[in-house]
Amino acid sequence: MDISRIDQIIDNHNAEQSSLIQILLDIQAEHHWLPKQALDRVAEKLDVPMNRIQHITTFYKAFSQVPKGRHQIHVCMGTACHVRGAQRVLDTISDATGIKAGETDAELKFSLETVNCLGCCALGPVMVVDGEYHGNVAPAQAADVLKNYE
Amino acid sequence: MPRINSPAELEEFRRSILSKRSDDRPCITLCSGSACHATGSEKVAAAIVAELENHGLTDQVEIRRTGCHGFCEQGPIVVIYPEGICYLKVKPEDVCEIISHTFKEKKLVERLLYVDPTTGDKSSYEHDIPFYKNQQRLILGLNRKIDPKSLEDYLAVGGYKALTKALFEMSPDEVIGEVKAAKLRGRGGAGFPSGMKWEFARKAPGDQKYVVVNCDEGDPGAYMDRSLMEGNPFTVLEGLMIGAYAIGATEGYIYVRQEYPLAVDNLSVAMKEAERRGLLGKNIMGSGFDFTVKVHRGAGAFICGEETSLLASLEGKPGEPKSRPPFPANKGLWGKPTNINNVETWANIPVIINEGAEYFSSVGTESSKGTKIFSLVGKVNNTGLVEVPMGIPLRDIIYKIGGGVPKGKKFKAVQTGGPSGGCIPEAYLDVKVDFDELMKMGAMMGSGGMIVMDEDTCLVDIARYFLEFLSDESCGKCVPCREGIRQMLKVMTDITQGRGKEGDIELLENMAMATQGAALCALGKTAPNPVLSTLKYFREEYEAHIKEKRCPALSCKELIAFHIDPERCKGCGSCLRKCPANAIEGGKKTIHVIDQEKCTKCGTCIEACPAAFQAIDKLSGVPVPAPVPQEKRALA
């Protein structure tokens, strides 16, 4: 982990305490998780206690304190996707990857997350793999999509 | 890039832009909203550029990548002006034909035109498509005409006229008076009169005041704020600045969900463009009015759509609500007077200032003025964003615009207002949609999600779904919400999994009343609504789940079983090949059988079974017939 890069992110936000969430979002975006070292650095530079940082990282869903897999799978569980069978899509992916929502497999290949609405309600059910959207997916198709990832 | 220092210079700049454009110059527009991104508009855009070059048309035809047109079901959408020819579900390989046919031979590409699912009629032009024809697009209408990142496009359609009028021809009190006279009500869901809210903030003592845009659109099933922010960020900024001037604020914040990266990008570009031209920052257009704005990304918490939580989040704290009063209008961000409105509310402001309160209040009903954008999703033919005048009957939205329920299924209910809303059954489809009528029905306007459900949707499961969502999203600060929702969810989960018992319905009603009455903020107070409204209109579904262990919609997994009818099975093997759980046994010319132990009830087999046979049944509330013995499975 590159501490100077963390410092740069903090400086981009002028090291303001009120930008704590924005700083953590930027670190999360680069690493896909929040390493302890990075959090220590943020606490030190912004002069905020670690318990406040922990409160933030556990309160907001975007943050993870465990490493994530090489490929991020997001399955939308919004209402529109739900009525069109998102649960079945999620179950099939769980069967195919052997992990439940919120988990990462031992090889760090996939991380599976559910999202409460991606705002593509017209295309439901929607799954996203590494930022690539797949709309109107049927359960069997969802498992096929994952075969393309190493 | 000279700064614009006066209204005269702005008009001069506008004239110079318009002089370079003509209405009859061919222009090809491509929807590039998030939904169309998902269906491949990037590749289509690249193909358009390449094909125009191939045909030597690059200098004659303009390309414009616009925001969301709203007809997301049919994306990516290409519209060709000046005629307004509309091609739907365009793929990269269609582009060559579009360019050669439409521009060179002046012919239409028939297969890409809209076909009405009920009548089979084709529509060549955008304005003929029933989905668009029955809407009144005061707010969303500009999305199709502009590139969200281009200030010039926005000025060409009359952008910043409202701001100029407010800054140079009206006093702050006159602006507030206009918004009050227009009777605009907040579009975030509760429908509080916006003009009144502005007045509270204006009259609140203090020099430093703030205005905030709430784009934390967390309601599952609603995405109009996203489309406005992605497709027309300038208009949201313009509305915000008019509000800031009226209230006496010099700083603004735009709070956007981190799930909306494209909205953040387009907004950031729009802000830079406006700054470069002096339409944001110090001494705007020489009026002496200063205004700066910051974008703040949310970090994934539904509760942050609630205003006091949103303010806490803006301050870099966990988004937990505070009890009101004091209201943000008196003590908001950093304890200073703050005015928060939803994206759609801000986007209404330029329309009110430009067209006048009288015009605006001529649209809509007595108590709810103007238009409302709904996201029409779920089991409906034309899903997408629908902007209609308040007071339109629900039936018109679902049937005239939405084209009814697909696959000939029966309509069951429509859910409005997201997790705080309720379900409305068919008997009430003629209700006129506005804030108060929906409240009377036990539903609410909410952010405008409208989810259509057909006979295959289990409403007990939908109510459970919303409780699960809210239980997950409750911030946990107050006990009635944290525990009330959790316990209701437990009971609902039992009911949908076949463990429901006598007395559960009464228990749910009791817990709902307690949660409603005692929770700290609107999330908890409205959380029981989905349960109460489904109990009101669909009580018999609850009773079937509890007493007969039967799901009438055949959707609750634990209460259904799949069974291959030996009479109808032709032994083709389609289901066996597709079954992801390897739960089907059978071979050539033998009756196939589902192993109930292995079956995960995913429903793949029903989809795989050829339509001519339809050999697979879903059963609920009845025992599964014993499998045909091995020796009798051979088919002649």
Side-chain angles (χ1 to χ4, degrees):
Chain A
M1 205 192 71
D2 180 3
I3 282 287
S4 64
R5 177 65 197 134
I6 302 288
D7 286 352
Q8 204 182 346
I9 290 173
I10 295 170
D11 293 339
N12 286 348
H13 292 280
N14 308 327
E16 282 173 21
Q17 287 194 0
S18 61
S19 297
L20 174 58
I21 297 171
Q22 305 305 298
I23 291 166
L24 295 176
L25 276 172
D26 287 351
I27 298 171
Q28 171 81 31
E30 282 198 17
H31 290 270
H32 301 304
W33 70 295
L34 299 171
K36 174 90 172 61
Q37 256 181 305
L39 294 183
D40 288 340
R41 189 71 180 174
V42 172
E44 180 192 347
K45 297 251 316 186
L46 261 58
D47 192 23
V48 289
M50 189 46 104
N51 69 357
R52 199 177 131 197
I53 292 185
Q54 291 291 357
H55 192 166
I56 298 270
T57 52
T58 50
F59 184 90
Y60 292 102
K61 287 196 176 54
F63 301 122
S64 166
Q65 294 201 55
V66 288
K68 290 281 177 195
R70 292 189 297 282
H71 305 292
Q72 316 261 331
I73 311 168
H74 292 273
V75 180
C76 180
M77 301 303 279
T79 324
C81 292
H82 178 81
V83 302
R84 289 185 177 187
Q87 188 62 47
R88 286 167 37 202
V89 173
L90 181 67
D91 292 346
T92 315
I93 294 174
S94 278
D95 287 344
T97 55
I99 48 172
K100 290 197 188 67
E103 293 178 349
T104 300
D105 61 40
E107 289 82 52
L108 290 183
K109 182 177 177 185
F110 288 119
S111 290
L112 178 58
E113 301 279 349
T114 57
V115 194
N116 276 330
C117 184
L118 289 163
C120 306
C121 312
L123 310 173
V126 176
M127 70 183 278
V128 184
V129 188
D130 294 349
E132 196 178 334
Y133 285 72
H134 302 271
N136 294 316
V137 277
Q141 206 185 332
D144 286 344
V145 165
L146 299 181
K147 288 176 187 157
N148 305 325
Y149 292 89
E150 277 312 306
Chain B
M1 270 294 158
R3 256 184 70 103
I4 293 165
N5 294 314
S6 69
E9 282 181 28
L10 179 76
E11 287 315 308
E12 183 53 41
F13 184 42
R14 196 192 312 274
R15 266 196 302 276
S16 76
I17 295 167
L18 288 171
S19 68
K20 286 182 229 142
R21 302 183 177 204
S22 75
D23 287 344
D24 18 350
R25 187 171 171 213
C27 172
I28 183 164
T29 68
L30 170 69
C31 172
S32 305
S34 277
C36 285
H37 262 286
T39 44
S41 86
E42 283 297 315
K43 288 177 184 137
V44 176
I48 290 175
V49 173
E51 283 299 328
L52 284 177
E53 262 181 40
N54 277 349
H55 288 85
L57 291 167
T58 309
D59 298 336
Q60 295 157 46
V61 181
E62 208 178 324
I63 307 175
R64 184 166 300 140
R65 303 200 51 190
T66 68
C68 175
H69 297 196
F71 202 4
C72 312
E73 178 81 3
Q74 302 281 352
I77 301 172
V78 167
V79 184
I80 293 170
Y81 294 106
E83 300 88 347
I85 299 164
C86 184
Y87 293 132
L88 306 169
K89 292 194 175 172
V90 176
K91 294 192 177 62
E93 51 270 28
D94 298 326
V95 172
C96 176
E97 204 177 340
I98 290 178
I99 305 287
S100 63
H101 264 61
T102 320
F103 290 112
K104 291 257 159 144
E105 302 163 35
K106 300 289 173 208
K107 282 198 304 215
L108 296 173
V109 184
E110 292 282 335
R111 63 187 164 81
L112 298 174
L113 297 175
Y114 175 77
V115 181
D116 192 305
T118 39
T119 60
D121 293 344
K122 281 192 176 172
S123 308
S124 315
Y125 303 105
E126 204 177 25
H127 50 257
D128 291 338
I129 297 175
F131 177 81
Y132 289 123
K133 206 162 59 181
N134 295 300
Q135 298 188 39
Q136 185 175 3
R137 299 194 147 201
L138 288 182
I139 312 295
L140 265 182
L142 289 178
N143 270 21
R144 340 199 267 276
K145 298 182 183 159
I146 57 175
D147 176 337
K149 296 177 183 168
S150 162
L151 177 63
E152 296 196 359
D153 278 5
Y154 185 60
L155 288 172
V157 295
Y160 288 101
K161 275 187 178 169
L163 180 70
T164 315
K165 187 173 167 184
L167 290 181
F168 292 92
E169 296 167 32
M170 299 167 90
S171 69
D173 286 326
E174 281 175 333
V175 174
I176 291 183
E178 200 70 23
V179 176
K180 276 172 83 173
K183 294 190 184 160
L184 173 68
R185 293 174 69 174
R187 298 292 191 246
F192 191 81
S194 308
M196 268 169 73
K197 197 155 142 179
W198 288 22
E199 195 163 52
F200 293 147
R202 169 147 190 86
K203 288 186 173 160
D207 298 336
Q208 178 67 50
K209 294 179 183 180
Y210 297 101
V211 281
V212 178
V213 179
N214 182 347
C215 186
D216 187 71
E217 193 180 35
D219 270 15
Y223 63 103
M224 63 288 295
D225 294 353
R226 168 187 202 150
S227 289
L228 277 172
M229 203 49 117
E230 281 175 5
N232 194 352
F234 286 107
T235 215
V236 181
L237 277 173
E238 190 179 1
L240 182 70
M241 287 161 81
I242 293 168
Y245 167 73
I247 288 157
T250 52
E251 277 182 54
Y253 285 87
I254 301 179
Y255 189 99
V256 188
R257 287 178 82 196
Q258 57 97 28
E259 290 89 337
Y260 288 0
L262 188 62
V264 175
D265 290 351
N266 288 0
L267 176 63
S268 307
V269 172
M271 278 162 45
K272 280 204 183 75
E273 282 288 297
E275 268 167 26
R276 278 194 325 169
R277 287 289 183 176
L279 294 166
L280 193 63
K282 287 258 177 265
N283 191 13
I284 291 162
M285 286 190 282
S287 64
F289 170 64
D290 303 335
F291 186 69
T292 52
V293 68
K294 280 194 187 126
V295 178
H296 184 106
R297 286 160 300 156
F302 175 68
I303 185 64
C304 286
E306 197 275 343
E307 59 179 11
T308 55
S309 312
L310 187 145
L311 293 175
S313 186
L314 273 180
E315 292 173 4
K317 298 181 185 133
E320 288 169 354
K322 294 189 185 112
S323 56
R324 301 176 305 181
F327 285 92
N330 293 310
K331 277 186 84 150
L333 189 63
W334 321 113
K336 305 277 192 278
T338 304
N339 181 74
I340 306 179
N341 283 121
N342 159 278
V343 175
E344 198 186 333
T345 314
W346 290 116
N348 269 283
I349 302 298
V351 178
I352 292 173
I353 299 296
N354 274 329
E355 309 290 337
E358 202 172 319
Y359 166 78
F360 187 85
S361 59
S362 70
V363 180
T365 62
E366 191 43 46
S367 69
S368 309
K369 299 295 185 193
T371 57
K372 174 77 188 96
I373 306 173
F374 291 102
S375 65
L376 187 62
V377 295
K379 305 284 185 73
V380 62
N381 274 313
N382 304 331
T383 52
L385 290 180
V386 176
E387 186 179 347
V388 287
M390 297 270 195
I392 188 175
L394 259 178
R395 192 181 296 280
D396 286 6
I397 298 179
I398 294 164
Y399 288 92
K400 268 193 187 165
I401 298 171
V405 181
K407 298 178 190 163
K409 296 269 186 188
K410 212 169 141 323
F411 171 89
K412 188 189 257 184
V414 58
Q415 207 280 347
T416 69
S420 322
C423 292
I424 298 172
E426 180 150 39
Y428 296 94
L429 274 187
D430 293 311
V431 74
K432 295 195 168 3
V433 178
D434 73 6
F435 285 105
D436 305 333
E437 289 295 318
L438 286 177
M439 281 299 249
K440 277 186 214 156
M441 300 282 313
M444 66 190 271
M445 178 78 78
S447 51
M450 207 171 254
I451 295 126
V452 180
M453 308 185 203
D454 66 5
E455 56 191 285
D456 297 340
T457 314
C458 172
L459 288 181
V460 184
D461 175 62
I462 288 292
R464 185 207 56 80
Y465 164 84
F466 280 123
L467 284 178
E468 184 179 46
F469 171 83
L470 290 168
S471 156
D472 197 28
E473 294 288 0
S474 170
C475 79
K477 184 174 178 176
C478 78
V479 176
C481 172
R482 186 181 69 224
E483 294 304 323
I485 296 175
R486 230 181 86 206
Q487 295 305 327
M488 280 193 284
L489 174 60
K490 267 192 181 160
V491 175
M492 291 293 282
T493 308
D494 282 348
I495 294 175
T496 52
Q497 295 187 348
R499 296 188 300 273
K501 51 189 184 296
E502 222 31 67
D504 276 353
I505 294 182
E506 293 69 25
L507 181 62
L508 277 172
E509 283 171 332
N510 276 333
M511 288 196 282
M513 299 302 285
T515 310
Q516 240 172 0
L520 169 67
C521 81
L523 185 146
K525 283 185 199 301
T526 57
N529 283 357
V531 177
L532 291 173
S533 83
T534 45
L535 272 173
K536 185 170 164 188
Y537 299 118
F538 298 94
R539 204 181 185 94
E540 70 284 358
E541 290 210 6
Y542 281 80
E543 284 167 351
H545 280 76
I546 295 169
K547 291 179 185 151
E548 304 166 44
K549 307 294 178 226
R550 176 174 68 87
C551 173
L554 299 173
S555 112
C556 290
K557 244 181 167 177
E558 278 73 8
L559 300 177
I560 57 170
F562 289 81
H563 171 64
I564 300 177
D565 182 16
E567 299 294 315
R568 299 199 298 264
C569 177
K570 298 282 184 277
C572 72
S574 298
C575 56
L576 183 141
R577 282 191 297 276
K578 279 273 164 68
C579 175
N582 298 325
I584 299 177
E585 27 182 299
K588 262 198 177 151
K589 298 262 178 175
T590 54
I591 292 172
H592 286 54
V593 173
I594 297 175
D595 179 345
Q596 298 296 336
E597 293 294 305
K598 285 188 191 165
C599 172
T600 57
K601 299 171 187 176
C602 70
T604 304
C605 53
I606 285 203
E607 283 152 31
C609 185
F613 310 154
Q614 294 187 5
I616 304 180
D617 294 322
K618 268 197 234 179
L619 310 172
S620 181
V622 291
V624 181
V628 180
Q630 269 315 58
E631 63 277 11
K632 292 189 180 168
R633 290 187 191 177
L635 287 159

